[in-house]
Amino acid sequence: MYYIGNHLPVSKGYAVMGEMALKLGGNTFAFFTRNPRGGKAKEIDEDDVNELLNITEENGFGKLVAHAPYTMNLCAGKEDVRKFSKEVISDDIKRMEYTPGNYYNFHPGSHVGQGAERGIEIIADVLNEVLSPGQSTIVLLETMAGKGTEVGRTFEEIKEIIDRTKLKDKLGVCLDTCHIWDGGYDIVNNLDGVINEFDQVIGLDKLYAVHFNDSKNECGSHKDRHERVGYGQIGLEAMKRVALHPALAGKPFILETPNDDEGYIREIAMFKEWMGE
Ligand code: FE
Ligand code: FE
Ligand code: ZN
């Protein structure tokens, strides 16, 4: 089985996202848990959520991959930003229980000059406070491009965060193809090597989801600018090899490509064709 879908706007509610995913041909999707640049989350409407749960169940959806807001930075330099960020992740983990058993992906953070080591320490400290044994959600660390002072550009940094976190079974990784490429992992010429390295450093059992994006820039550029699948520096053939790599089989693949609906319909159809549908 394979799962493909794209990032959808949450503004019209949960059920509309389910309908939208179906309309575009998907069987998973991503969404922001709240305004990506704002703070307060909308009240959850349980009827609306239940409607979505019916849609996902009836249509055999895979795990959904929620995304934390960009304003969340667990290892920010400023105390008030750190406090806000901890409140956001803690509240989001509670809200995720309305859609039980899915994934919540976040950017580990930017250390803003404190150094990656310190950043990693703080991130893990927060995770140790907010993760709980009773939660059904798996929290995912996203691999980053290494823009600015982003933590999580290397597999080693991600691994260190996991190592320092107590409830490891509640924690996983979301591999963003644009980000690892921009971060310096050459998935065009050495995909097997990169996957192997992930396995050696972190372990493939920790890989839960894929953000399936081409990149506007060259390998190692640290820019983080997504491109439509096949139109970037990674290119169609390499993207196809990623989609078909056995180590990634069955994971939810999420498109975060700059597209309109027609573009997503095309990318989802292409992915399905690769899967032999
Ligand atoms: Fe992201
Ligand atoms: Fe991403
Ligand atoms: Zn990105």
Side-chain angles (χ1 to χ4, degrees):
M1 198 51 207
Y2 61 86
Y3 300 102
I4 179 73
N6 60 298
H7 191 107
L8 292 169
V10 70
S11 52
K12 294 198 178 77
Y14 281 75
V16 170
M17 290 193 290
E19 286 158 13
M20 193 67 194
L22 285 176
K23 203 181 112 194
L24 300 176
N27 58 0
T28 178
F29 62 91
F31 61 100
F32 283 120
T33 50
R34 60 187 71 212
N35 183 329
R37 315 221 163 260
K40 198 151 166 41
K42 257 210 260 181
E43 281 297 318
I44 287 197
D45 172 348
E46 286 192 52
D47 291 338
D48 179 35
V49 173
N50 288 332
E51 224 180 295
L52 168 69
L53 295 179
N54 283 336
I55 294 173
T56 57
E57 206 168 301
E58 277 167 24
N59 295 282
F61 274 43
K63 302 287 186 186
L64 309 180
V65 190
H67 198 301
Y70 293 138
T71 43
M72 194 177 104
N73 182 7
L74 299 187
C75 61
K78 292 189 182 128
E79 170 80 50
D80 58 326
V81 182
R82 278 207 307 274
K83 185 165 171 282
F84 159 83
S85 301
K86 197 200 286 183
E87 281 163 14
V88 167
I89 191 170
S90 158
D91 184 44
D92 277 355
I93 290 171
K94 289 187 191 105
R95 289 158 54 87
M96 285 298 292
E97 290 302 317
Y98 285 94
T99 51
N102 288 298
Y103 302 154
Y104 174 75
N105 169 76
F106 77 105
H107 296 178
S110 291
H111 65 70
V112 292
Q114 303 168 92
E117 265 315 303
R118 182 71 193 125
I120 287 164
E121 260 174 45
I122 302 172
I123 294 161
D125 284 350
V126 177
L127 288 173
N128 283 328
E129 280 185 63
V130 300
L131 297 180
S132 71
Q135 71 180 64
S136 67
T137 305
I138 305 293
V139 172
L140 305 183
L141 298 155
E142 181 167 354
T143 58
M144 300 310 293
K147 198 172 65 178
T149 63
E150 277 171 354
V151 179
R153 178 186 67 79
T154 63
F155 298 158
E156 284 77 6
E157 288 180 0
I158 300 270
K159 166 71 172 163
E160 257 196 82
I161 298 170
I162 298 171
D163 277 349
R164 287 170 180 271
T165 304
K166 291 186 195 111
L167 292 173
K168 291 182 176 46
D169 58 327
K170 303 298 177 191
L171 195 60
V173 179
C174 173
L175 187 89
D176 186 310
T177 53
C178 167
H179 293 178
I180 59 169
W181 167 258
D182 281 24
Y185 292 98
D186 187 353
I187 54 174
V188 171
N189 299 301
N190 188 25
L191 177 62
D192 282 335
V194 172
I195 301 263
N196 239 326
E197 194 173 335
F198 186 101
D199 194 28
Q200 297 299 316
V201 176
I202 301 174
L204 282 169
D205 58 320
K206 280 283 154 209
L207 183 57
Y208 283 79
V210 177
H211 282 172
F212 196 58
N213 308 308
D214 210 325
S215 170
K216 285 195 194 300
N217 296 289
E218 66 276 17
C219 185
S221 63
H222 307 305
K223 289 229 173 80
D224 187 7
R225 300 213 35 222
H226 302 189
E227 181 54 281
R228 291 165 298 154
V229 175
Y231 290 88
Q233 298 297 314
I234 300 174
L236 195 63
E237 285 312 308
M239 290 298 287
K240 184 177 175 181
R241 286 195 295 272
V242 172
L244 289 168
H245 199 285
L248 310 180
K251 316 285 178 200
F253 275 66
I254 303 294
L255 299 158
E256 301 174 303
T257 45
N259 264 317
D260 52 15
D261 287 354
E262 289 307 310
Y264 286 127
I265 287 171
R266 271 198 304 275
E267 286 184 349
I268 289 168
M270 180 169 69
F271 186 92
K272 287 180 169 177
E273 202 187 297
W274 291 342
M275 297 298 133
E277 198 176 277

